[in-house]
Amino acid sequence: MDARFNHNNKLIGKKMMEYGERKGLLAKEQFGSRKHKSASDHSCNKRFTMDLIRQSETATIYIANDAKSCYDRIILMVAYLTMRTHGISATVAKSTIYTILNMRHYVRTVYGDSMEYYGGEKWDTKPHGCGQGNGYGPALWACISSPLLHILQMQGYGTKLRCPISNEDFHIAAFAFVDDVDMIQTEDRETDESKPVDDPVAQTQESLNLWTNSLRVAGGDIESSKTFYVPIIHKWQGSRKVLDKQPTKSIYINGTDQQRVSLTIKDPNDAFFTLGIWQSPSGDEKSQVEYLLEKIEAWDTHTTKNKLPWSLARIAMRATIGRTLLYSLPAIALDEKQCYNIQKKYRQATLGKIGFVRTTSKLLTEAPVNVGGIGLLSIEVQQLIHHVNILLIHGPDHKSVTNRLLRSTLEYHALETGLPGDPLLLPAVSYSTQKTWIHQTLHSLSKFGVNIYSDIEGLALWGSNDSFIMEKIRSVVIPGIQ
C-alpha cells in the first residue's frame, strides 16, 4: 500500500475516532483504538467481572470469540456509510474506497517489482475489505462494531449485575478489544421470586446467534476454531461453594452453509489466554505464574547466548523482560508466595548479566537507581503500585466501566466480611471472602501500611439495637485463629 495513501488513511481513522468520542457513537464495550483505554484496562474489567460472578454466585456462560479476518471482510459500502456517520465527508470517503477498489497489486522482491499485476481493471468482481496494514483499519472496525454492540445491549444480552449495598444496576453487553470479543452472559435474576430464572445457556445461544448474524451483515464472521465457552455454575461441595465441572448443554455457531458447529467447552477452573494474560474464572493465578516464569527463562537463555555487555544487559532488563512482567500486574492478584517465586527467578536471570553476584542483598537490588540501588523490579511492590493506580484513576470516575465493576466488587467484599465502614479500609479476612483482586489488594495495602478512602458508605445497621455479628466475633480472641 502506497505510503502517501496510507498516511491519509491514518488521518481518516484519527478523525473518525475523534468524532465518535465527541458524539458518543462508540460503544462503552469497545476498548480498541481508543485514547485512555488499553488492553490491560480491559483485562482488569474481565478480572473484576469474573470476581463478581463468584462473589454473587451468579450462573454465567463465558464465550471468547474472534472475528474471522475482519479487516479483509468488511463490506466497502458498510465502510463508506460508517465513515459518513463518523464525520468524514463524502468526497474523502469515496476517494479512499475507490482507491482500494481500483488498486493494482504487484509482487515486490529483492530483485525488484513484478511486471505483472492483479487487481485494478482486471477484477471481474470487485473485492471487499479494507486490507491488512490499512491505517484506518482498527479505527474503522471499532466504529463498525460499536452499533453491533449497542444492538446486543438493547436486546438485554450480556452481563447484568447489581451492587448489593447501593442497589445500582450495571449492564455491559460484552468486552471488546478491536476484533477480540468476550461475551459474558449472566443469568437474568427476576426481582419477582415467583418467576423462574432464565437459562443462561439458552440466553447465550440467542446472543451468539445475534452477534454472528450482525457480523455477517457487515461482512464479518466468527472464527469457530478460536471460539470456546466456559460454563461458570456454582454448586455446594461440603460447606462451601465451588465451580461445577459438569458440562452444560452444547452451544453452537450457525455456519453460512446452514451447518451447526459445536463450540469447544472449557473447565471453569482452567485458565485461558486473553489480551496477553492467563485468566481463570476461579481466580487461580497458577497459569499466569508459569507463563511469567517461562518468559524469564526464555529471556535468560537468549541473553546468555548473545553475551551482552553489562550496560546493554541492564537496558534489556528494563526494556524487555521488565516490560513483560509489568504488563500483566494491573489485572492479576498474585499472593506473597507467587510473587516470591517470580522474584527469585527474575533475580537469578538478571543479576549476573548486569555485573552483580546473585547473593546481593534485596535492599540494594530493589532500591531505585537514583538513590544508589540496582533498580530491579519488586514484583509484590509493583503489583500493589499498579493496583493503587487503578483505584486512584478509576475510583473517582463514576462514568467508566472499570469504576462500576470496582465499586460492585468492593460492596460484595463488605457483604462477605460482614463488617461496617469504608470497604477499602476493611481487613482482607480469609475466613469468608473469595480470592479476588480486591481481597489481595486490601491484604497488600494493610501489609505496607497504605490507606485509601472511598465514598462507599458500606454496611449499615437496620435498627437502633442492632449490631454487626461479625464485629462481635472478631472482638473475641481465640488462640491460633485470626
Side-chain angles (χ1 to χ4, degrees):
M1 192 173 290
D2 186 87
R4 294 164 296 178
F5 173 61
N6 212 22
H7 179 272
N8 289 336
N9 290 347
K10 291 179 180 180
L11 183 60
I12 291 172
K14 180 176 181 291
K15 296 296 183 182
M16 289 174 65
M17 296 303 291
E18 290 174 350
Y19 188 91
E21 295 283 7
R22 191 166 61 250
K23 298 295 184 179
L25 300 177
L26 299 173
K28 65 182 180 182
E29 292 87 354
Q30 179 59 268
F31 268 49
S33 308
R34 301 178 67 178
K35 287 185 177 180
H36 312 300
K37 297 182 187 296
S38 66
S40 180
D41 288 339
H42 229 16
S43 295
C44 287
N45 293 336
K46 287 193 273 191
R47 173 60 195 250
F48 293 151
T49 302
M50 287 187 282
D51 285 348
L52 281 165
I53 289 168
R54 296 197 314 278
Q55 288 176 300
S56 62
E57 298 179 359
T58 303
T60 305
I61 304 295
Y62 185 117
I63 289 189
N65 69 82
D66 189 48
K68 181 189 295 184
S69 306
C70 64
Y71 299 158
D72 292 327
R73 296 175 62 100
I74 296 174
I75 294 176
L76 292 179
M77 177 54 73
V78 173
Y80 172 79
L81 294 174
T82 302
M83 290 181 193
R84 299 288 291 121
T85 304
H86 286 77
I88 304 302
S89 68
T91 302
V92 173
K94 286 179 182 178
S95 173
T96 184
I97 296 298
Y98 284 145
T99 300
I100 291 173
L101 285 172
N102 297 303
M103 192 180 295
R104 294 179 178 181
H105 302 272
Y106 295 85
V107 177
R108 173 164 293 175
T109 69
V110 294
Y111 302 105
D113 296 346
S114 64
M115 300 296 293
E116 293 295 324
Y117 65 89
Y118 67 95
E121 70 281 359
K122 293 184 177 181
W123 289 123
D124 292 331
T125 302
K126 296 291 186 181
H128 288 283
C130 67
Q132 296 293 326
N134 192 316
Y136 60 61
L140 178 62
W141 185 255
C143 296
I144 289 176
S145 63
S146 287
L148 310 185
L149 293 166
H150 286 148
I151 292 171
L152 279 181
Q153 186 170 60
M154 285 189 294
Q155 294 299 316
Y157 297 117
T159 304
K160 292 182 180 179
L161 296 168
R162 173 172 293 179
C163 298
I165 298 176
S166 62
N167 284 327
E168 294 180 2
D169 291 322
F170 174 76
H171 180 203
I172 186 168
F175 297 88
F177 195 84
V178 193
D179 61 338
D180 187 355
V181 179
D182 289 353
M183 304 165 66
I184 305 179
Q185 181 64 52
T186 56
E187 63 181 345
D188 193 2
R189 293 180 169 178
E190 296 282 353
T191 53
D192 185 355
E193 294 183 358
S194 63
K195 295 182 179 180
V197 175
D198 290 339
D199 181 7
V201 177
Q203 286 184 306
T204 303
Q205 185 66 70
E206 293 172 4
S207 66
L208 184 60
N209 292 343
L210 178 60
W211 177 247
T212 305
N213 293 334
S214 300
L215 282 177
R216 288 171 181 163
V217 168
D221 206 347
I222 289 180
E223 182 61 70
S224 59
S225 63
K226 298 181 181 179
T227 303
F228 62 86
Y229 73 102
V230 186
I232 310 175
I233 312 296
H234 303 82
K235 71 171 185 177
W236 283 103
Q237 187 176 79
S239 59
R240 62 192 183 97
K241 278 284 188 75
V242 297
L243 297 181
D244 193 354
K245 296 183 180 181
Q246 296 298 320
T248 60
K249 292 182 288 186
S250 296
I251 295 177
Y252 302 90
I253 291 178
N254 293 320
T256 53
D257 55 359
Q258 304 303 317
Q259 296 293 320
R260 295 203 306 171
V261 179
S262 179
L263 297 184
T264 303
I265 183 172
K266 292 203 172 186
D267 191 307
N269 295 294
D270 292 341
F272 44 85
F273 198 63
T274 170
L275 296 181
I277 299 175
W278 286 94
Q279 292 186 320
S280 169
S282 66
D284 183 50
E285 300 287 4
K286 181 180 178 182
S287 296
Q288 179 62 21
V289 171
E290 292 175 351
Y291 173 73
L292 294 179
L293 291 176
E294 288 172 1
K295 286 290 185 180
I296 295 172
E297 187 173 348
W299 183 89
D300 186 15
T301 302
H302 295 324
T303 51
T304 300
K305 288 180 179 179
N306 290 284
K307 297 181 180 179
L308 295 175
W310 292 347
S311 58
L312 293 181
R314 187 182 286 261
I315 294 173
M317 178 189 72
R318 292 195 300 266
T320 54
I321 188 60
R323 293 292 183 184
T324 300
L325 295 175
L326 288 176
Y327 169 75
S328 62
L329 293 182
I332 61 179
L334 304 176
D335 58 30
E336 294 178 31
K337 183 178 179 181
Q338 291 169 331
C339 289
Y340 172 79
N341 290 336
I342 296 173
Q343 189 75 36
K344 180 180 178 181
K345 190 79 171 178
Y346 176 56
R347 282 172 56 91
Q348 291 173 347
T350 55
L351 281 178
K353 293 180 177 61
I354 60 175
F356 293 88
V357 295
R358 294 178 178 178
T359 55
T360 304
S361 70
K362 179 181 177 182
L363 182 63
L364 179 61
T365 57
E366 297 178 7
V369 176
N370 59 358
V371 295
I374 299 175
L376 255 65
L377 297 175
S378 171
I379 303 301
E380 186 176 11
V381 172
Q382 287 297 325
Q383 177 178 258
L384 177 59
I385 290 172
H386 280 79
H387 285 201
V388 169
N389 195 41
I390 293 290
L391 292 171
L392 296 182
I393 290 176
H394 296 284
D397 185 7
H398 291 265
K399 294 182 180 180
S400 76
V401 172
T402 308
N403 172 274
R404 301 296 299 277
L405 293 169
L406 192 54
R407 293 176 71 88
S408 296
T409 191
L410 275 168
E411 290 189 16
Y412 270 106
H413 178 81
L415 200 66
E416 288 177 323
T417 59
L419 299 173
D422 186 344
L424 275 177
L425 300 178
L426 295 179
V429 294
S430 58
Y431 58 79
S432 62
T433 53
Q434 294 275 354
K435 188 182 184 303
T436 60
W437 185 95
I438 199 63
H439 177 272
Q440 183 59 42
T441 303
L442 293 178
H443 174 76
S444 297
L445 289 173
S446 175
K447 177 180 177 179
F448 290 98
V450 180
N451 288 331
I452 300 178
Y453 302 87
S454 74
D455 59 356
I456 302 175
E457 296 181 358
L459 295 175
L461 295 173
W462 289 1
S464 57
N465 294 323
D466 289 347
S467 61
F468 292 99
I469 187 170
M470 296 308 295
E471 203 171 31
K472 298 291 187 183
I473 292 174
R474 281 179 58 82
S475 65
V476 178
V477 178
I478 303 176
I481 299 180
Q482 296 182 347

mmCIF file of all heavy atoms in Angstrom, residues 80 83-84 88-101:
data_model
loop_
_atom_site.group_PDB
_atom_site.id
_atom_site.type_symbol
_atom_site.label_atom_id
_atom_site.label_comp_id
_atom_site.label_asym_id
_atom_site.label_seq_id
_atom_site.Cartn_x
_atom_site.Cartn_y
_atom_site.Cartn_z
ATOM 1 N N TYR A 80 -18.034 2.777 3.847
ATOM 2 C CA TYR A 80 -18.382 4.141 3.400
ATOM 3 C C TYR A 80 -19.432 4.773 4.318
ATOM 4 O O TYR A 80 -19.276 5.919 4.763
ATOM 5 C CB TYR A 80 -18.884 4.095 1.953
ATOM 6 C CG TYR A 80 -19.454 5.410 1.463
ATOM 7 C CD1 TYR A 80 -18.613 6.438 1.065
ATOM 8 C CD2 TYR A 80 -20.834 5.613 1.435
ATOM 9 C CE1 TYR A 80 -19.141 7.659 0.633
ATOM 10 C CE2 TYR A 80 -21.368 6.817 1.007
ATOM 11 C CZ TYR A 80 -20.513 7.836 0.608
ATOM 12 O OH TYR A 80 -21.038 9.042 0.198
ATOM 13 N N MET A 83 -17.935 5.686 7.660
ATOM 14 C CA MET A 83 -17.150 6.922 7.581
ATOM 15 C C MET A 83 -18.049 8.151 7.577
ATOM 16 O O MET A 83 -17.773 9.138 8.280
ATOM 17 C CB MET A 83 -16.287 6.907 6.312
ATOM 18 C CG MET A 83 -15.148 5.915 6.342
ATOM 19 S SD MET A 83 -14.188 6.013 4.813
ATOM 20 C CE MET A 83 -13.204 4.530 4.950
ATOM 21 N N ARG A 84 -19.118 8.101 6.810
ATOM 22 C CA ARG A 84 -20.037 9.249 6.745
ATOM 23 C C ARG A 84 -20.699 9.489 8.100
ATOM 24 O O ARG A 84 -20.859 10.636 8.532
ATOM 25 C CB ARG A 84 -21.117 9.002 5.676
ATOM 26 C CG ARG A 84 -20.582 8.830 4.278
ATOM 27 C CD ARG A 84 -20.065 10.174 3.698
ATOM 28 N NE ARG A 84 -21.174 11.077 3.450
ATOM 29 C CZ ARG A 84 -21.314 12.284 4.010
ATOM 30 N NH1 ARG A 84 -20.410 12.721 4.873
ATOM 31 N NH2 ARG A 84 -22.351 13.050 3.719
ATOM 32 N N ILE A 88 -16.786 11.897 8.290
ATOM 33 C CA ILE A 88 -15.926 12.003 7.119
ATOM 34 C C ILE A 88 -16.764 12.457 5.920
ATOM 35 O O ILE A 88 -17.842 11.916 5.669
ATOM 36 C CB ILE A 88 -15.236 10.660 6.810
ATOM 37 C CG1 ILE A 88 -14.455 10.167 8.038
ATOM 38 C CG2 ILE A 88 -14.312 10.791 5.610
ATOM 39 C CD1 ILE A 88 -13.399 11.115 8.533
ATOM 40 N N SER A 89 -16.271 13.435 5.187
ATOM 41 C CA SER A 89 -17.036 13.967 4.056
ATOM 42 C C SER A 89 -17.194 12.921 2.962
ATOM 43 O O SER A 89 -16.401 11.972 2.849
ATOM 44 C CB SER A 89 -16.337 15.206 3.492
ATOM 45 O OG SER A 89 -15.102 14.846 2.889
ATOM 46 N N ALA A 90 -18.222 13.111 2.133
ATOM 47 C CA ALA A 90 -18.490 12.149 1.058
ATOM 48 C C ALA A 90 -17.329 12.060 0.082
ATOM 49 O O ALA A 90 -16.975 10.971 -0.385
ATOM 50 C CB ALA A 90 -19.771 12.556 0.324
ATOM 51 N N THR A 91 -16.708 13.197 -0.220
ATOM 52 C CA THR A 91 -15.594 13.211 -1.178
ATOM 53 C C THR A 91 -14.415 12.386 -0.676
ATOM 54 O O THR A 91 -13.844 11.568 -1.411
ATOM 55 C CB THR A 91 -15.133 14.659 -1.424
ATOM 56 O OG1 THR A 91 -16.238 15.434 -1.899
ATOM 57 C CG2 THR A 91 -14.003 14.699 -2.440
ATOM 58 N N VAL A 92 -14.063 12.579 0.596
ATOM 59 C CA VAL A 92 -12.936 11.852 1.174
ATOM 60 C C VAL A 92 -13.247 10.364 1.270
ATOM 61 O O VAL A 92 -12.414 9.512 0.931
ATOM 62 C CB VAL A 92 -12.577 12.421 2.563
ATOM 63 C CG1 VAL A 92 -11.520 11.565 3.251
ATOM 64 C CG2 VAL A 92 -12.091 13.851 2.436
ATOM 65 N N ALA A 93 -14.466 10.023 1.717
ATOM 66 C CA ALA A 93 -14.846 8.620 1.864
ATOM 67 C C ALA A 93 -14.848 7.908 0.509
ATOM 68 O O ALA A 93 -14.332 6.785 0.372
ATOM 69 C CB ALA A 93 -16.214 8.511 2.526
ATOM 70 N N LYS A 94 -15.403 8.559 -0.526
ATOM 71 C CA LYS A 94 -15.413 7.952 -1.862
ATOM 72 C C LYS A 94 -13.996 7.789 -2.399
ATOM 73 O O LYS A 94 -13.668 6.777 -3.033
ATOM 74 C CB LYS A 94 -16.223 8.828 -2.815
ATOM 75 C CG LYS A 94 -17.734 8.767 -2.604
ATOM 76 C CD LYS A 94 -18.441 9.693 -3.577
ATOM 77 C CE LYS A 94 -19.955 9.684 -3.352
ATOM 78 N NZ LYS A 94 -20.646 10.628 -4.260
ATOM 79 N N SER A 95 -13.161 8.782 -2.123
ATOM 80 C CA SER A 95 -11.791 8.737 -2.631
ATOM 81 C C SER A 95 -11.037 7.511 -2.124
ATOM 82 O O SER A 95 -10.414 6.785 -2.910
ATOM 83 C CB SER A 95 -11.051 10.009 -2.219
ATOM 84 O OG SER A 95 -9.679 9.923 -2.553
ATOM 85 N N THR A 96 -11.121 7.260 -0.823
ATOM 86 C CA THR A 96 -10.372 6.120 -0.268
ATOM 87 C C THR A 96 -10.986 4.785 -0.675
ATOM 88 O O THR A 96 -10.267 3.821 -0.925
ATOM 89 C CB THR A 96 -10.279 6.234 1.271
ATOM 90 O OG1 THR A 96 -9.463 5.168 1.769
ATOM 91 C CG2 THR A 96 -11.634 6.165 1.947
ATOM 92 N N ILE A 97 -12.315 4.724 -0.786
ATOM 93 C CA ILE A 97 -12.970 3.473 -1.186
ATOM 94 C C ILE A 97 -12.657 3.145 -2.648
ATOM 95 O O ILE A 97 -12.301 2.008 -2.998
ATOM 96 C CB ILE A 97 -14.491 3.558 -0.962
ATOM 97 C CG1 ILE A 97 -14.819 3.707 0.526
ATOM 98 C CG2 ILE A 97 -15.176 2.315 -1.532
ATOM 99 C CD1 ILE A 97 -14.380 2.560 1.392
ATOM 100 N N TYR A 98 -12.770 4.148 -3.538
ATOM 101 C CA TYR A 98 -12.485 3.907 -4.957
ATOM 102 C C TYR A 98 -11.024 3.539 -5.182
ATOM 103 O O TYR A 98 -10.697 2.740 -6.069
ATOM 104 C CB TYR A 98 -12.845 5.153 -5.785
ATOM 105 C CG TYR A 98 -14.326 5.335 -6.002
ATOM 106 C CD1 TYR A 98 -14.902 6.601 -6.036
ATOM 107 C CD2 TYR A 98 -15.159 4.233 -6.195
ATOM 108 C CE1 TYR A 98 -16.271 6.766 -6.225
ATOM 109 C CE2 TYR A 98 -16.517 4.383 -6.398
ATOM 110 C CZ TYR A 98 -17.076 5.662 -6.404
ATOM 111 O OH TYR A 98 -18.420 5.812 -6.593
ATOM 112 N N THR A 99 -10.140 4.118 -4.369
ATOM 113 C CA THR A 99 -8.716 3.781 -4.499
ATOM 114 C C THR A 99 -8.479 2.305 -4.179
ATOM 115 O O THR A 99 -7.729 1.613 -4.880
ATOM 116 C CB THR A 99 -7.881 4.660 -3.554
ATOM 117 O OG1 THR A 99 -8.079 6.031 -3.895
ATOM 118 C CG2 THR A 99 -6.404 4.323 -3.666
ATOM 119 N N ILE A 100 -9.126 1.809 -3.129
ATOM 120 C CA ILE A 100 -8.983 0.394 -2.761
ATOM 121 C C ILE A 100 -9.571 -0.504 -3.849
ATOM 122 O O ILE A 100 -8.979 -1.526 -4.218
ATOM 123 C CB ILE A 100 -9.668 0.130 -1.399
ATOM 124 C CG1 ILE A 100 -8.893 0.822 -0.275
ATOM 125 C CG2 ILE A 100 -9.763 -1.370 -1.115
ATOM 126 C CD1 ILE A 100 -9.568 0.757 1.081
ATOM 127 N N LEU A 101 -10.734 -0.108 -4.406
ATOM 128 C CA LEU A 101 -11.383 -0.927 -5.427
ATOM 129 C C LEU A 101 -10.542 -1.033 -6.701
ATOM 130 O O LEU A 101 -10.535 -2.069 -7.372
ATOM 131 C CB LEU A 101 -12.757 -0.339 -5.760
ATOM 132 C CG LEU A 101 -13.865 -0.564 -4.729
ATOM 133 C CD1 LEU A 101 -15.102 0.234 -5.105
ATOM 134 C CD2 LEU A 101 -14.212 -2.040 -4.617
#
